[in-house]
């Protein structure tokens, strides 16, 4: 952004503007929130934002991705436990905790960090695997040694994929192109595989 020189300062600016002027949400599943990557030459952050209950402000949180790691953002929140005391790795609006307390979604006396995705996410859009399959696909290509499961119950309440992870080897721009071209070829999810009815004749 033209007003910021670092990803962290850009997130602080975006969050401040949204808190002051509001964040538009259509009131429907596909138009209510955003999950974005914000990066500079030194670091990358994950940024989640949604309208607050008043409709005039916003709820937002951001988490720094470790230098040797990468994250997959596939139309779903992924940030889990947020630690307001760890300002090197987390940024957030005050409303993250105040709204959750007001609605009884989180109790500060439970001595547990607030799970942002569990509380504020609507889960996967439209159907199971809408986001999770793409997350699995990227992890399957970048870090097969982790052997993350392809199946799961509910990503919102029962996460099986991390917020970010370490690839088996350093990634390049060509790897990003490879990830975007991937259609699960060579796996049971390849729609063009023989005997896969979803792939057509």
């Amino acid at each position: 952004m033209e007003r910021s020189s670092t990803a962290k300062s850009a997130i602080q600016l975006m969050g401040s503007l949204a808190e002051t002027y509001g964040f538009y949400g259509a009131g429907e599943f596909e138009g209510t929130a955003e999950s974005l990557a914000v990066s500079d030459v030194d670091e990358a952050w994950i940024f989640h934002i949604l309208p607050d209950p008043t409709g005039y402000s916003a709820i937002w949180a951001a988490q720094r991705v470790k230098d040797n790691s990468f994250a997959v953002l596939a139309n779903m929140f992924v940030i889990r436990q947020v630690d307001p005391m760890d300002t090197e790795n987390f940024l957030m609006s005050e409303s993250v905790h105040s709204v959750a307390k007001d609605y009884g979604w989180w109790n500060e006396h439970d001595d547990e960090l607030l799970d942002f995705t569990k509380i504020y996410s609507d889960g996967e859009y439209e159907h199971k695997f809408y986001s999770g399959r793409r997350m699995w696909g990227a992890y399957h290509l970048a870090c097969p040694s982790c052997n993350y499961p392809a199946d799961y119950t509910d990503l919102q309440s029962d996460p099986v994929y991390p917020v970010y992870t370490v690839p088996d080897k350093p990634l390049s721009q060509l790897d990003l192109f490879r990830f975007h071209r991937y259609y699960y070829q060579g796996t049971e999810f390849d729609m063009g595989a023989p005997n896969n009815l979803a792939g057509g004749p």
Side-chain angles (χ1 to χ4, degrees):
M1 295 177 65
E2 69 275 9
R3 301 186 194 181
S4 303
S5 57
T6 67
K8 187 173 185 178
S9 64
I11 288 171
Q12 291 169 321
L13 175 61
M14 288 159 38
S16 175
L17 289 172
E19 287 182 67
T20 301
Y21 300 105
F23 175 80
Y24 174 73
E28 299 176 357
F29 192 92
E30 63 259 52
T32 304
E34 289 290 344
S35 177
L36 307 171
V38 184
S39 63
D40 57 38
V41 296
D42 295 314
E43 59 184 19
W45 289 72
I46 301 166
F47 177 73
H48 296 337
I49 186 168
L50 66 156
D52 81 336
T54 71
Y56 293 99
S57 189
I59 300 167
W60 64 272
Q63 182 173 357
R64 182 179 178 272
V65 178
K66 287 187 177 180
D67 291 341
N68 64 341
S69 302
F70 80 106
V72 181
L73 306 180
N75 301 101
M76 181 178 169
F77 288 171
V78 297
I79 295 175
R80 308 304 308 200
Q81 286 76 19
V82 292
D83 186 352
M85 303 303 292
D86 182 5
T87 56
E88 289 298 313
N89 294 295
F90 293 95
L91 298 170
M92 67 201 73
S93 61
E94 183 274 336
S95 55
V96 166
H97 290 86
S98 63
V99 170
K101 286 190 291 186
D102 290 346
Y103 280 79
W105 298 333
W106 176 75
N107 188 337
E108 61 185 323
H109 302 296
D110 288 343
D111 199 31
E112 292 183 1
L113 294 175
L114 182 147
D115 185 327
F116 189 89
T117 292
K118 188 173 183 178
I119 289 178
Y120 291 113
S121 174
D122 281 331
E124 295 182 88
Y125 171 64
E126 197 169 90
H127 61 78
K128 180 183 176 183
F129 302 127
Y130 182 86
S131 299
R133 181 67 74 235
R134 286 177 284 160
M135 295 170 70
W136 174 84
Y139 290 140
H140 175 71
L141 292 176
C143 48
S145 65
C146 293
N147 197 30
Y148 292 120
D151 198 6
Y152 50 83
T153 301
D154 179 5
L155 288 184
Q156 179 189 15
S157 60
D158 184 26
V160 296
Y161 307 125
V163 178
Y164 52 76
T165 193
V166 179
D168 287 354
K169 60 181 181 180
L171 301 177
S172 70
Q173 295 94 324
L174 293 178
D175 287 309
L176 299 182
F177 293 135
R178 181 166 60 97
F179 295 168
H180 282 281
R181 288 195 300 264
Y182 187 51
Y183 56 89
Y184 315 112
Q185 56 268 38
T187 75
E188 62 184 297
F189 311 114
D190 183 350
M191 293 183 67
N195 302 317
N196 187 341
L197 295 180

